Amino acid sequence: MRLTKSTGIKALALGCLLSLGMPLAGAEAAGNIWMDESAEVQAKDFKKVVLFPLRYLQAPDGKVDEFQGYNAALAKRIHKRIKRTNFMNFEDPGDAKAADKKREKREILRMDPAYNELLRHFDSEKDRAKAVYDTTGAEGYLLPHIRYEQERVDHSPATWTTVKMETYYNIENGPSGDKSKCNYQSWYASHMIPAHDSTLQMLDMDFRLYDAATGKEAMTLIDYYRNYEVDQWHAFEQIAKNFTGDWNRLKKDHDQNVPAGAPTMGFRNLELPYAASQDEFAIKTIYYAYKDEAGDDLKRVKVDYAPNGGRYYVTGAITDYARGETWNPPYADTSVTDYNTEKFKWRDDKGNEHEGQRVYYKTLISDHYGYYSFWYRTAADLSLIDSRTGNVVLSRHLEAEDPDRYANALRKMFKSFYKDVDKAIGVANS
């Protein structure tokens, strides 16, 4: 089943983060996931999670009988790839198979009164969380959501270009041994790259995991997919694959072991571009990368996640946080390929007969149609400050770009900065 088509700098205040349920202290992430580590029970430690049906665009709730192919595919991948966590999904209304004990462990069955109760509309996540907790005893529940999807046709116009053409032949095992590029000829010729239409699939999804005991958001993932000549099903499966991979990496994520007596480093708020400061997902993406990359990379400095913590602290501004697409015009390249072989016989001066061959080559032209490439660009001015003296220990301007995710670009920047922090103030093992 296919989805329907649908077609300045501001300082970030602490209150803005808190209003989003994202405290500055104790955030951790792997891949594109943000997790609230201030929660009593960590999302990565949840043993039982209810998987709700997919919510589409602005619909208030997911329906189990809509996009069931996608719901089933996501559940199948989760059951296969995520270990030591029991995900319970809702039984497909069209599935006539008899329930068995194995299915009862991973599905909320139709005859269970909880089936319809949990799928009704809830006015708040607190109400939904209470229903999930009271009915299933699960620590959490996951709400997958398609935020945006579109199929776009991009036109590559007919384009003239000039290519170098070549012809020659090689002799193998001839009277004078092997010879190459015999009768070589080359010239330049005009070549027209034909017009071509390419179908681009675009899909954005987010996954929100809630703590069923509190109704608070415990984890968030947002993912983007852009690719040519694939269907929407492929795009969905790729994002589902990314999600399960990020979840598994999250469960293994931890700070580096640092030497005893290592200096401590904390964090202060970053100034954000106005558009990013108004976007919940942007705020989460920036701050989880800012903090988690420090824990991942610092080997000689201990990370202090407490508010205003650390003998040293990082501060600064994200100066660029943008996404876009770049048109890559059509072009042609050439390669030389063999197209004919002639065998011949010859005799040496002793009268012995040998067999040689002439291998003929010509230029093959390969057309490459125009297409859009996508990018996520970030830049930052970061400083390491000594909290006791107020002196700037280290200051750097950094830029990074990634074709798939903001998080990847951010992590490239922060990784580079924290590498220098280790050198500037880190201590080695004694």
Side-chain angles (χ1 to χ4, degrees), residues 131 211 214 223 235 238 365 423:
D211 186 332
T214 64
D223 208 351
Q238 187 61 47
I365 302 173
K423 295 176 181 177

Side-chain angles (χ1 to χ4, degrees), residues 40-41 46 48-50 52 108 114 117-118 122 125-141 210-215:
E40 184 176 346
V41 180
F46 286 178
K48 187 176 182 181
V49 175
V50 174
F52 277 79
I108 300 172
E117 170 63 18
L118 291 180
F122 293 92
E125 290 306 326
K126 186 175 180 180
D127 292 338
R128 193 199 315 259
K130 185 177 188 305
V132 169
Y133 190 78
D134 291 347
T135 305
T136 68
E139 292 102 329
Y141 58 93
Y210 289 86
D211 186 332
T214 64

Side-chain angles (χ1 to χ4, degrees), residues 264-266 298 301 311-316 382-387 390-396 417-418 420-422 424-426:
T264 58
M265 188 203 76
L298 290 173
V301 177
R311 157 70 192 278
Y312 300 88
Y313 64 85
V314 185
T315 189
L382 299 176
S383 296
L384 180 69
I385 310 295
D386 185 331
S387 66
N391 293 336
V392 177
V393 178
L394 175 68
S395 185
R396 285 197 60 190
F417 182 75
Y418 294 135
D420 287 346
V421 168
D422 246 350
I425 62 172

Side-chain angles (χ1 to χ4, degrees), residues 34-87:
W34 166 84
M35 189 179 76
D36 177 14
E37 284 211 328
S38 66
E40 184 176 346
V41 180
Q42 299 300 297
K44 62 183 179 181
D45 296 327
F46 286 178
K47 301 301 181 185
K48 187 176 182 181
V49 175
V50 174
L51 172 61
F52 277 79
L54 181 75
R55 182 167 70 89
Y56 183 65
L57 300 184
Q58 302 305 315
D61 302 288
K63 303 294 183 184
V64 111
D65 55 350
E66 294 180 11
F67 313 123
Q68 184 53 29
Y70 291 95
N71 288 326
L74 178 59
K76 182 178 179 180
R77 180 168 287 279
I78 284 175
H79 291 314
K80 181 178 179 180
R81 301 294 299 171
I82 298 179
K83 307 301 182 184
R84 296 183 294 280
T85 302
N86 178 26
F87 280 84

Side-chain angles (χ1 to χ4, degrees), residues 100-157:
D100 55 42
K101 290 184 179 180
K102 185 176 180 181
R103 290 180 65 206
E104 287 175 1
K105 290 181 179 180
R106 69 174 189 266
E107 291 186 359
I108 300 172
L109 304 177
R110 294 190 303 272
M111 65 287 296
D112 187 334
Y115 185 88
N116 291 318
E117 170 63 18
L118 291 180
L119 288 174
R120 70 176 176 84
H121 176 71
F122 293 92
D123 292 331
S124 69
E125 290 306 326
K126 186 175 180 180
D127 292 338
R128 193 199 315 259
K130 185 177 188 305
V132 169
Y133 190 78
D134 291 347
T135 305
T136 68
E139 292 102 329
Y141 58 93
L142 181 67
L143 303 180
H145 173 219
I146 289 183
R147 304 174 65 238
Y148 171 83
E149 64 89 15
Q150 185 178 9
E151 185 177 273
R152 187 178 83 188
V153 176
D154 290 338
H155 179 70
S156 176

Side-chain angles (χ1 to χ4, degrees), residues 254-325:
H254 60 81
D255 287 4
Q256 295 277 354
N257 293 321
V258 300
T264 58
M265 188 203 76
F267 307 89
R268 303 298 185 267
N269 287 335
L270 299 171
E271 291 184 350
L272 303 184
Y274 180 77
S277 73
Q278 305 303 301
D279 183 338
E280 172 195 0
F281 288 116
I283 293 169
K284 288 185 173 183
T285 301
I286 290 167
Y287 272 89
Y288 83 63
Y290 177 45
K291 291 169 170 287
D292 186 62
E293 200 59 39
D296 288 348
D297 295 328
L298 290 173
K299 299 177 181 179
R300 302 189 294 178
V301 177
K302 183 175 177 58
V303 180
D304 186 343
Y305 296 105
N308 299 317
R311 157 70 192 278
Y312 300 88
Y313 64 85
V314 185
T315 189
I318 301 296
T319 58
D320 192 14
Y321 192 82
R323 61 188 285 190
E325 53 189 64

